[in-house]
Amino acid sequence: MAEQKLDQREILEQQKSQCPFCKIIKGDIPSKKIYEDDKLLAILDINPVKEGHILLMPKEHYPIMPLIPQETLDKLFMMTRRLAEIVRLVFERSGTTIFVANGGVAGQQSAHFMLHIIPRDDGDGIDNFDINEGLSHPDKHKELFEVLLNNLPELLRERYAKYPLKDNAGNPLSLSRREKRFSKSQVFGIIDNNPQIKELIMKEPEQFVMSIEKSPQLKQLFSGLNVHEIVKEINPKYKKRDIVQAEFKEEVAEPDEAMPIEKPKENPKGKKKPAKGQPAKEKEQPVKEPAPVREAPTRVDLDLISRMF
Amino acid sequence: MADCKNCKTIKEHTNVIYEDSVCIATLPDKGATLGHIKVFPKQHSHMLEQFNDEIAVQLLSVATQASMAVFEAVGAQGTNIIINNGISSDREHVTINIIPRKSADGLDFMWKGKQSSQDDLEKVKEKLTAHTQFLGYQAAKDPRAKQQQAPEVRTKDLPDEDEADEDDFMIRQLDRIP
């Protein structure tokens, strides 16, 4: 193993000694330098695609991107942003193409890693950077999606920590919780496969929506999605309500009144409302109807959702 | 924004492989090839320059990791990272395209460069360095930077002269007191 490493180092040293860009950086070969600092160098491409085509590279010789240390990469990206702006403004173009080639197959022409920044306009006759997005591989796509979903967030754990997603209270959500998220169409599929949930949405959509808040599994199912839109699509009769503090039972009993009426005497609308001093009696009447349905969400929580996941 | 494909993808959360509070990485159903990943900011902005350094670094770092992940996952021989900043189909919303490459995959992003004369290149260099000199390191060495400082030194003299005039005036006033 040690021998192999030595070989690699030797190879790298050989590469460096023959690398024209390392020579440019040292000053052995002349170049048109545009920007320079302790870690990076930007020069003009002598065979530009267009006037203003620049090459931005780390001064240190890295054949490919994965070998570049994070600190240098951060600086590289910061300068990319700034140089792209300068290049665009100086040549009065609508935009820029930022191009990276890792590997000969991808078009990497030199063993010294670099980034191309090219001022561009729509219709400027440069079409090699156009990306045609027509290909699809439905069978392989799903498999690849699962692999990436498992691997990428883990690779990005440190970067995620800088800009974590947050819940409603502003608390950062952990990365692992973020991995399981469903698209709208997936949620429709799950609901179709679970007739009990669908029945609940059809019969008591408002109850279903409320039960989501109480169930962590349902919450995760709908996380990041507009619950009201989804429920409405399944059951067009569903009406979104502001159910801030209202008693659950009263809502079902008196759907026209958003908030419980405090003084029955003042009653402008209330025809049916009994005196407030007897809340127990009020609740007794409407409770009978929703009682069996109210139990349904909890049954759904425990059995169905665990099977879904 | 309503028509923006990226914003729609964010809203519907389709094919998301990574997400944080500022950016999102997806594996679209259709792409240039199997494994074409798109990384874009959640904010609907059409140019990379509209983001600050930290967010630009976050976006490009996510893109870098994504390119390494897909390289392994599809057994690629290389990757391309392409940003068509403010142009083409991505002109509305910044998109970083990560495309894994294999030999004979039918893709080709290469160009034919134009040979430029030294004079032309020198002119381009002058135009660009007029702006890049303010980016840091080069500024200290640039002789033009010192010239710009000179006028400031002169303006400092003026307030002193005014004060001197005032003093004279006060003294002259004193002379008139009987």
Side-chain angles (χ1 to χ4, degrees), chain A residues 137-146, chain B residues 15 27-29 34:
Chain A
H137 302 82
D139 44 343
K140 291 183 184 172
H141 180 274
K142 194 177 175 191
E143 203 186 308
L144 181 60
F145 177 81
E146 291 299 321
Chain B
N15 292 320
L27 183 74
D29 289 326
L34 176 68

Side-chain angles (χ1 to χ4, degrees), chain A residues 31-38 44-54 65-66 70 73-74 77-88 90-91 94-103 105-107 109 116 120-122 128-137 140-141 144-145 147-149 152-153 155-156 159-160 162-165 175 178 181-184 224-225 229, chain B residues 5 11-22 25 27-38 42 47-49 51-58 60-62 64-70 73-74 77-89 91 97 99 101-103 108-116 118 121-122 124-125 127-129 131-132 135-138:
Chain A
S31 66
K32 302 285 179 214
K33 293 187 180 177
I34 303 302
Y35 169 81
E36 186 175 4
D37 65 23
D38 56 335
L44 287 181
D45 189 323
I46 53 172
N47 279 322
V49 143
K50 213 173 169 188
E51 195 185 41
H53 179 166
I54 64 176
M65 218 171 187
Q70 192 60 49
L73 267 183
D74 285 357
F77 297 153
M78 274 196 275
M79 284 321 300
T80 302
R81 178 186 82 84
R82 292 172 190 211
L83 287 171
E85 187 170 25
I86 289 174
V87 149
R88 181 179 63 84
V90 164
F91 294 97
S94 13
T96 43
T97 289
I98 296 164
F99 179 82
V100 171
N102 282 315
V105 161
Q109 290 168 327
H116 297 254
R120 294 286 315 283
D121 277 312
D122 279 318
N128 54 286
F129 298 115
D130 291 344
I131 298 168
N132 295 317
E133 298 170 16
L135 272 179
S136 70
H137 302 82
K140 291 183 184 172
H141 180 274
L144 181 60
F145 177 81
V147 167
L148 288 170
L149 184 62
L152 189 59
L155 286 171
L156 285 165
R159 288 249 71 111
Y160 177 82
K162 296 188 190 228
Y163 294 100
L165 288 161
L175 189 63
R178 281 294 105 205
R181 279 188 71 164
F182 299 90
S183 71
K184 206 170 163 187
L225 296 172
E229 249 182 49
Chain B
K5 270 195 294 186
K11 193 178 171 196
E12 294 180 358
H13 210 259
T14 29
N15 292 320
V16 173
I17 50 176
Y18 168 82
E19 184 186 2
D20 59 33
S21 60
V22 302
L27 183 74
D29 289 326
K30 284 189 184 178
T33 188
L34 176 68
H36 180 166
I37 294 177
K38 291 194 180 192
K42 286 186 165 174
M47 295 268 208
L48 191 62
E49 301 91 89
F51 296 96
N52 64 24
D53 278 347
E54 285 77 27
I55 296 183
V57 167
Q58 181 79 353
L60 286 159
S61 300
V62 169
T64 309
Q65 285 296 337
S67 76
M68 293 194 250
V70 78
V74 303
Q77 293 159 315
T79 53
N80 282 116
I81 300 176
I82 303 175
I83 312 174
N84 282 317
N85 197 22
I87 47 164
S88 184
S89 54
R91 73 174 76 81
N97 294 287
I99 301 168
R101 298 293 308 278
K102 292 184 180 178
S103 58
D108 186 8
F109 299 113
M110 296 325 293
W111 59 88
K112 279 186 190 162
K114 294 179 218 167
Q115 268 222 323
S116 282
Q118 285 296 314
L121 290 174
E122 191 60 35
V124 171
K125 177 184 164 169
K127 280 188 191 175
L128 287 172
T129 49
H131 290 76
T132 58
L135 288 174
Y137 187 93
Q138 236 187 0

Side-chain angles (χ1 to χ4, degrees), chain B residues 9 16-17 38 49 75 87 89 98 104 126 133-135 142 158-159 168:
Chain B
T9 304
V16 173
I17 50 176
K38 291 194 180 192
E49 301 91 89
I87 47 164
S89 54
I98 294 148
E126 278 178 22
Q133 64 170 317
F134 301 109
L135 288 174
D142 197 316
L158 293 170
D168 286 342

Side-chain angles (χ1 to χ4, degrees), chain A residues 171-184:
Chain A
N171 302 314
L173 290 163
S174 75
L175 189 63
S176 48
R177 268 195 64 183
R178 281 294 105 205
E179 280 171 25
K180 267 183 191 163
R181 279 188 71 164
F182 299 90
S183 71
K184 206 170 163 187

